[in-house]
Amino acid sequence: MNKKIAIAGLGTVGLSLVKKLVEKKEIIQQRSNNSFDIIAVSARSKKSRGVDLSNYEFFDNPVEMVKNTDADIYLELMGGTNGLTLDYVKNVLKKGKVLITANKAMLASYGEQLSELADENNAKILFESSIGGGIPCLKTLREGMVGNNINAIYGILNGTCNYILTTVQETGKSFADVLSEAQKLGYAEADPTFDVEGYDAGQKLSLMASIGFGIKIPYDEMYFEGILDFMTNEQIKSAEKIGYSPRLIGVAKPQSDGYLIYTVPALVPVDKTMGNIKGVVNGCIINGDMVGDIISIGAGAGGDATASAIISDIVDSLKNNYTMTFNTSTKNLKSAKILPITERIGKYCIFGDENILKPKFGDNDIKYLNSVKDVFVIENIKEEKINSVLNGINCNLVRIEDC
Ligand code: HSE
């Protein structure tokens, strides 16, 4: 059965999608064994965008588009968490249609509510493109690893931050200068605070954690830290000398009494997976009890990469191949205890005056590896303890994630 598509949002991603659906129509139809047509688009203004939109009905209000068209698949590529975006999405679901969205911010806040609305109306929500840009993170977790208990998820889930951190390390430029480059390149969110403060990566991680562990979306309870100036350029150079690079890392792990779920700037070994992910690239490591680590790496932002993931959702819909939004019925999602970051037990790098730090370590029976002056690596220590040992001392404590 031919399916009709309506697209709300004609920014970088929306326009890439329209172009690719036109250019690749034949192959997409062959691979889905079905046909489709774009019938309508919606954006704030009808200004020329360098793409021929004349064959599609135009709406300047997406809610009007839902009310006045009979598409099978509605795309939400507008961004925004509330207001018109949420209104549009709810209208799509109430109409019992397929919603395809790249909007991790909206899903992190309203995912369960929207999923219930979808269940009630026999509608569907597909959101592969909302996590990891073009990487099929969700397909890996929800389908490829469906028989596994998930032991851990590690992710580099924000291309802007990864671009900033790797460029600062390679060039010695300031964080602020490299952030404006990332904005010019079109990687950053409309408000780049969402990128650099860790919210965007946290939203993506919270969705993966919910699906992986079968828990309610932990976005409101998880821990975040931003990347701006978390280390000085000099500290980044010292860390490199002992084999570490800075990354914004998301970590989600079940513990005996709850879950540790956080997104923080950290150091990772230069020669392990995350240390080799550079530039706007994203990556995730998902560990399952049957298969061990599954590692996915690829373009984490940008129009065509994101459109690639959206097309995989469109093809699933053309094939009527659906999974439940969070891989289980929404009512089965468990309430989980999210542990404070102070419960983290792991490695840390400390930058500070060794004449002050060494006696402190000695007094507290803390062993360290010290390869560079004024830089210490300690392992297997609870964050609560190291915080109390370093309380009042002028130094920089940076987490190390061995991934
Ligand atoms: N601003 C996001 C990033 C875009 O930099 O990863 C993709 O979600």
Side-chain angles (χ1 to χ4, degrees), residues 378-389:
I378 56 172
E379 42 194 358
N380 205 22
I381 190 158
K382 198 173 197 178
E383 187 149 329
E384 193 175 29
K385 173 161 182 190
I386 190 66
N387 280 342
S388 80
V389 170

Side-chain angles (χ1 to χ4, degrees), residues 245-312:
S245 291
R247 295 285 183 275
L248 180 74
I249 295 278
V251 178
K253 276 195 272 194
Q255 308 286 294
S256 55
D257 52 348
Y259 294 85
L260 269 173
I261 302 180
Y262 54 83
T263 305
V264 295
L267 288 168
V268 297
V270 286
D271 52 359
K272 289 186 102 175
T273 304
M274 295 305 190
N276 281 302
I277 298 180
K278 295 179 182 165
V280 70
V281 177
N282 278 197
C284 61
I285 304 172
I286 309 172
N287 184 278
D289 67 338
M290 295 169 71
V291 68
D293 282 346
I294 296 284
I295 300 173
S296 316
I297 298 172
D304 284 357
T306 310
S308 163
I310 295 171
I311 289 175
S312 90

Side-chain angles (χ1 to χ4, degrees), residues 104 130 133 157-161 187-189 195 200 204 280 282 300-301:
K104 57 270 162 172
S130 66
L157 296 171
N158 184 274
T160 303
C161 286
Y187 304 148
E189 298 296 303
D195 297 293
D200 174 84
K204 294 165 182 166
V280 70
N282 278 197

Side-chain angles (χ1 to χ4, degrees), residues 47-76:
K47 70 177 183 204
S48 163
R49 293 176 164 84
V51 175
D52 181 10
L53 302 170
S54 58
N55 290 332
Y56 321 131
E57 196 172 353
F58 181 86
F59 293 86
D60 59 12
N61 181 325
V63 176
E64 290 305 312
M65 180 169 79
V66 187
K67 289 188 176 153
N68 293 293
T69 55
D70 190 28
D72 303 283
I73 302 169
Y74 287 88
L75 276 297
E76 184 283 302

